[in-house]
Amino acid sequence: MPTSPEVPSPRHHGCPSATPVNIVLGVIGADCHAVGNKILEIAFREAGFRVNNLGVMVAQAEFIAAALETDARAMVISSLCGHAEIDCRGLRERCLEAGIGHILLYLGGNLTVGETDFPTVERRFREMGFDRVFPPGTAPEEGIAALWEDLRRRGCRQPAGDTKGPGRA
Amino acid sequence: MPELLLADVGSTFTKVCVVHTDEPRLLARAAVPTTTEPDVNQGLDAACRLAGTALDTALPLLASSSAAGGLRIAAVGLVPSLTAKAAEMAALGAGAKVVGTFPYALNTDDENRLRTLEPDLVLLTGGTDGGDTSHIVGNAEVITRTLPAVPVVVAGNRNAHDDLRRVLDGHQGPVRFADNVMPELNRLNLGPSRDCIRQLFLERIVIAKGMGRLKARADLLVPTPQAVLEAVRLLGQTAGGLGDFLAVDIGGATTDVYSHGAGLPSNAGVVYKGLPEPIDKRTVEADLGMRHTLSGVMALIDLEGLCAEHGLQPEEVMAWTTRVAADPGAIPHSTQETAADTALAAAACRLAVQRHCGRLEEVWGPEGRVFLQEGKDLGDAGWVVGTGGPAAFGPAPEVILAAARRRAGSASLLPRAPRFLADRDYLLWAVGLLAQAGLDEAGARLALHHLREVPGGDAPSCRRVPEGTHRGE
Ligand code: B12
């Protein structure tokens, strides 16, 4: 289980087989539901990711700072309390602004209150820039399988220099 | 060896003391103005003579120095709130003066700034282990091009080490690799880089600053602020010591704040956010000082409020600040000037302590109010120590130290009910040197004997009083 950075990585190779893939995990906004977050941390770690878990009540800026510093390939975000739409608005744009516009954004949990038609909910969050949106109660394994698939599709070959922060001349 | 010679060079006064370590006590003490022409040795010799000894006695010598601008470090990191902040904390913990903090990728403006700043050392960080490598490698290229002879301590993503070795291969100054200041997200590891900085300070920097003789003579030589931080650690940790506490040094140009304490959230309803902070923490406010940077204090205070609090007229404060602006060596003469000086020191103390301590932020969530804590909660700190400047030697240290007390309704996590101590004999640096030399017990006993309690703190109700502390004056 590659939880420590033992494997020296060829620079920005980014391929999961050679070096652990960093992801940033957390529950967004003023949401304090902590149980699912712990389960997701364990599940993603056991699936081979290096999980940088920010816990609950995570601001957008914290997700972005963590992704920059860890060179993360994906943000796996939960929202349980029903405020996802407010809490997630503008995240993709802020990622673009920070130089990590290509990062995969995953979202799951109880995203809305009252809204029962999931395809509508999904469309709304996809339009906000999320790559994958999962319905309430999705098993972590489903998210993990999807993430590997998306990473494979990206060839695990992010070009060097895709994580430049502001200020790069 | 029961007797030791301790010396501190570089601040306004060069100080020397002779200490008996078996029966910890001060045998002799002297201070003379620090000399710079041709170097610090003249002052040092004079201070030794005044203390009835000589620099070349057989006594072991432990020394601290802030000469020639101290240890000037440029801290380079990636994200401002993460590795750039960790680098800054590491440098401050090593006793450095952080001349600049540089996040993200260094650009041409940064290059020019680095050239102008001429730091003594660059602390290069960026990326968690296994995280981002592109910024630290790119920044190394800029640094070796911009400051080819300056010592570099690398303490970033270890996965970038191979590339960094290649980039820094031709660097003329020494390059040392230390463990990452932030190996995992939000986990600090400041010790290894601090040790590397300390080593380079001794091997290279003190010699470059004309302290070769002191280095050759001294059994230990560290930056002065690091010695003070070491004293803070010792007094915080020692059984019967101070426990969690704050120390404040208000100087002419900067205000230094030190604290001992984990400062974790004190109740379950508070969520901690951001980087954890070191148990022994130092911050330096470069815009808050009583002489050269008094304008910085003036820019931040509410003059009317300050005057109301201290029974002054705004014109009296303005008159004093005008005098100081014209002559940074000014000494208050009238009672109004003294009161203005004290009031401004209290204001600087408050601002510096607020920046040092953490903050609580109220967040209204779906369920009501929740609190986020960033930085240390020093609410339970039992003491505030004035060391150096008006908080130790002024006519009214209690007024200045009281400014470090938390006010009702404030979001800053300042001590709620501290008592006050003054380092009247200005010994914390010496105590830190003893601690650094492994003489913890001697250092602690010396400190607790010489720190004077200043009245005006909170009632000692149920709090332990350190042994040997003088009560009152
Ligand atoms: C326990 C609980 C609480 C506890 C939380 C304690 C804690 N610190 O964790 C307390 C009492 C504090 C609480 C408070 C509130 N709660 Co509550 N709470 C629950 C409850 C009963 C269980 C949550 C839980 O732990 N589930 C177990 C974990 C394992 O499941 P999970 O969180 O869903 O996570 C899993 C999956 O969803 C998935 N997953 C999650 N994120 C993601 C992301 C991706 C990408 C993927 C692939 C998968 C994935 O994987 C996780 C692991 O298996 C749920 C109801 C329920 N049965 O779900 C309500 C519930 C979540 N709470 C709710 C509400 C409204 C609140 C409150 C606003 C007020 C209230 N009515 O109580 C506050 C909000 C406080 C705040 N600031 O966030 C609503 C949310 C309504 C909505 N969104 O439609 C729920 C659904 C109850 C309901 N039916 O009304 N709550």
Side-chain angles (χ1 to χ4, degrees), chain B residues 289-303:
Chain B
M290 287 301 97
R291 294 294 182 270
H292 309 281
T293 49
L294 192 56
S295 57
V297 181
M298 289 302 290
L300 291 167
I301 57 166
D302 153 27
L303 184 58

PDB file of all heavy atoms in Angstrom, chain B residues 289-303:
ATOM      1  N   GLY B 289       7.808  48.495  15.562  1.00  0.00           N
ATOM      2  CA  GLY B 289       8.925  48.780  16.456  1.00  0.00           C
ATOM      3  C   GLY B 289       8.734  50.149  17.067  1.00  0.00           C
ATOM      4  O   GLY B 289       7.907  50.953  16.623  1.00  0.00           O
ATOM      5  N   MET B 290       9.519  50.420  18.102  1.00  0.00           N
ATOM      6  CA  MET B 290       9.317  51.643  18.890  1.00  0.00           C
ATOM      7  C   MET B 290      10.080  52.849  18.357  1.00  0.00           C
ATOM      8  O   MET B 290       9.863  53.969  18.794  1.00  0.00           O
ATOM      9  CB  MET B 290       9.733  51.380  20.343  1.00  0.00           C
ATOM     10  CG  MET B 290       8.754  50.518  21.099  1.00  0.00           C
ATOM     11  SD  MET B 290       7.126  51.291  21.142  1.00  0.00           S
ATOM     12  CE  MET B 290       6.308  50.499  19.812  1.00  0.00           C
ATOM     13  N   ARG B 291      11.026  52.614  17.422  1.00  0.00           N
ATOM     14  CA  ARG B 291      11.793  53.744  16.908  1.00  0.00           C
ATOM     15  C   ARG B 291      11.753  53.784  15.378  1.00  0.00           C
ATOM     16  O   ARG B 291      11.000  54.529  14.796  1.00  0.00           O
ATOM     17  CB  ARG B 291      13.253  53.666  17.394  1.00  0.00           C
ATOM     18  CG  ARG B 291      13.396  53.832  18.912  1.00  0.00           C
ATOM     19  CD  ARG B 291      12.991  55.231  19.373  1.00  0.00           C
ATOM     20  NE  ARG B 291      13.159  55.414  20.821  1.00  0.00           N
ATOM     21  CZ  ARG B 291      12.223  55.149  21.718  1.00  0.00           C
ATOM     22  NH1 ARG B 291      11.048  54.659  21.337  1.00  0.00           N
ATOM     23  NH2 ARG B 291      12.449  55.364  23.000  1.00  0.00           N
ATOM     24  N   HIS B 292      12.560  52.923  14.742  1.00  0.00           N
ATOM     25  CA  HIS B 292      12.685  52.971  13.278  1.00  0.00           C
ATOM     26  C   HIS B 292      11.371  52.682  12.565  1.00  0.00           C
ATOM     27  O   HIS B 292      11.136  53.169  11.470  1.00  0.00           O
ATOM     28  CB  HIS B 292      13.749  51.974  12.813  1.00  0.00           C
ATOM     29  CG  HIS B 292      15.034  52.127  13.548  1.00  0.00           C
ATOM     30  ND1 HIS B 292      15.932  53.107  13.244  1.00  0.00           N
ATOM     31  CD2 HIS B 292      15.556  51.452  14.614  1.00  0.00           C
ATOM     32  CE1 HIS B 292      16.968  53.034  14.070  1.00  0.00           C
ATOM     33  NE2 HIS B 292      16.748  52.043  14.919  1.00  0.00           N
ATOM     34  N   THR B 293      10.512  51.883  13.158  1.00  0.00           N
ATOM     35  CA  THR B 293       9.275  51.494  12.487  1.00  0.00           C
ATOM     36  C   THR B 293       8.044  51.960  13.266  1.00  0.00           C
ATOM     37  O   THR B 293       6.971  51.380  13.143  1.00  0.00           O
ATOM     38  CB  THR B 293       9.211  49.952  12.317  1.00  0.00           C
ATOM     39  OG1 THR B 293       9.514  49.358  13.586  1.00  0.00           O
ATOM     40  CG2 THR B 293      10.214  49.478  11.294  1.00  0.00           C
ATOM     41  N   LEU B 294       8.211  53.038  14.017  1.00  0.00           N
ATOM     42  CA  LEU B 294       7.075  53.540  14.796  1.00  0.00           C
ATOM     43  C   LEU B 294       5.928  53.965  13.870  1.00  0.00           C
ATOM     44  O   LEU B 294       4.752  53.845  14.224  1.00  0.00           O
ATOM     45  CB  LEU B 294       7.524  54.723  15.674  1.00  0.00           C
ATOM     46  CG  LEU B 294       6.532  55.177  16.742  1.00  0.00           C
ATOM     47  CD1 LEU B 294       6.152  54.021  17.656  1.00  0.00           C
ATOM     48  CD2 LEU B 294       7.112  56.310  17.582  1.00  0.00           C
ATOM     49  N   SER B 295       6.280  54.396  12.659  1.00  0.00           N
ATOM     50  CA  SER B 295       5.231  54.782  11.712  1.00  0.00           C
ATOM     51  C   SER B 295       4.346  53.583  11.366  1.00  0.00           C
ATOM     52  O   SER B 295       3.158  53.737  11.084  1.00  0.00           O
ATOM     53  CB  SER B 295       5.856  55.361  10.445  1.00  0.00           C
ATOM     54  OG  SER B 295       6.733  54.407   9.885  1.00  0.00           O
ATOM     55  N   GLY B 296       4.938  52.375  11.388  1.00  0.00           N
ATOM     56  CA  GLY B 296       4.167  51.161  11.122  1.00  0.00           C
ATOM     57  C   GLY B 296       3.106  50.948  12.187  1.00  0.00           C
ATOM     58  O   GLY B 296       1.967  50.556  11.902  1.00  0.00           O
ATOM     59  N   VAL B 297       3.473  51.218  13.434  1.00  0.00           N
ATOM     60  CA  VAL B 297       2.514  51.086  14.537  1.00  0.00           C
ATOM     61  C   VAL B 297       1.422  52.140  14.372  1.00  0.00           C
ATOM     62  O   VAL B 297       0.223  51.835  14.465  1.00  0.00           O
ATOM     63  CB  VAL B 297       3.222  51.258  15.904  1.00  0.00           C
ATOM     64  CG1 VAL B 297       2.232  51.108  17.048  1.00  0.00           C
ATOM     65  CG2 VAL B 297       4.373  50.272  16.039  1.00  0.00           C
ATOM     66  N   MET B 298       1.841  53.379  14.080  1.00  0.00           N
ATOM     67  CA  MET B 298       0.877  54.480  13.934  1.00  0.00           C
ATOM     68  C   MET B 298      -0.142  54.181  12.833  1.00  0.00           C
ATOM     69  O   MET B 298      -1.316  54.526  12.946  1.00  0.00           O
ATOM     70  CB  MET B 298       1.606  55.791  13.608  1.00  0.00           C
ATOM     71  CG  MET B 298       2.400  56.363  14.768  1.00  0.00           C
ATOM     72  SD  MET B 298       1.395  56.680  16.241  1.00  0.00           S
ATOM     73  CE  MET B 298       0.401  58.062  15.674  1.00  0.00           C
ATOM     74  N   ALA B 299       0.338  53.532  11.768  1.00  0.00           N
ATOM     75  CA  ALA B 299      -0.548  53.253  10.630  1.00  0.00           C
ATOM     76  C   ALA B 299      -1.652  52.271  10.999  1.00  0.00           C
ATOM     77  O   ALA B 299      -2.682  52.215  10.331  1.00  0.00           O
ATOM     78  CB  ALA B 299       0.271  52.714   9.461  1.00  0.00           C
ATOM     79  N   LEU B 300      -1.439  51.493  12.050  1.00  0.00           N
ATOM     80  CA  LEU B 300      -2.385  50.420  12.351  1.00  0.00           C
ATOM     81  C   LEU B 300      -3.293  50.703  13.540  1.00  0.00           C
ATOM     82  O   LEU B 300      -4.260  49.990  13.770  1.00  0.00           O
ATOM     83  CB  LEU B 300      -1.614  49.119  12.615  1.00  0.00           C
ATOM     84  CG  LEU B 300      -0.929  48.529  11.377  1.00  0.00           C
ATOM     85  CD1 LEU B 300       0.061  47.446  11.791  1.00  0.00           C
ATOM     86  CD2 LEU B 300      -1.959  47.953  10.424  1.00  0.00           C
ATOM     87  N   ILE B 301      -2.957  51.731  14.327  1.00  0.00           N
ATOM     88  CA  ILE B 301      -3.739  51.928  15.545  1.00  0.00           C
ATOM     89  C   ILE B 301      -4.888  52.915  15.343  1.00  0.00           C
ATOM     90  O   ILE B 301      -4.906  53.700  14.402  1.00  0.00           O
ATOM     91  CB  ILE B 301      -2.875  52.431  16.724  1.00  0.00           C
ATOM     92  CG1 ILE B 301      -2.164  53.727  16.320  1.00  0.00           C
ATOM     93  CG2 ILE B 301      -1.932  51.368  17.198  1.00  0.00           C
ATOM     94  CD1 ILE B 301      -1.591  54.458  17.501  1.00  0.00           C
ATOM     95  N   ASP B 302      -5.821  52.819  16.283  1.00  0.00           N
ATOM     96  CA  ASP B 302      -6.895  53.787  16.358  1.00  0.00           C
ATOM     97  C   ASP B 302      -6.425  54.778  17.428  1.00  0.00           C
ATOM     98  O   ASP B 302      -6.452  54.486  18.622  1.00  0.00           O
ATOM     99  CB  ASP B 302      -8.180  53.038  16.747  1.00  0.00           C
ATOM    100  CG  ASP B 302      -9.173  53.919  17.475  1.00  0.00           C
ATOM    101  OD1 ASP B 302      -9.161  55.138  17.253  1.00  0.00           O
ATOM    102  OD2 ASP B 302      -9.966  53.368  18.263  1.00  0.00           O
ATOM    103  N   LEU B 303      -5.931  55.932  16.975  1.00  0.00           N
ATOM    104  CA  LEU B 303      -5.278  56.887  17.873  1.00  0.00           C
ATOM    105  C   LEU B 303      -6.219  57.359  18.984  1.00  0.00           C
ATOM    106  O   LEU B 303      -5.840  57.406  20.155  1.00  0.00           O
ATOM    107  CB  LEU B 303      -4.747  58.071  17.058  1.00  0.00           C
ATOM    108  CG  LEU B 303      -3.945  59.117  17.836  1.00  0.00           C
ATOM    109  CD1 LEU B 303      -2.745  58.496  18.523  1.00  0.00           C
ATOM    110  CD2 LEU B 303      -3.503  60.246  16.914  1.00  0.00           C
TER     111      LEU B 303
END
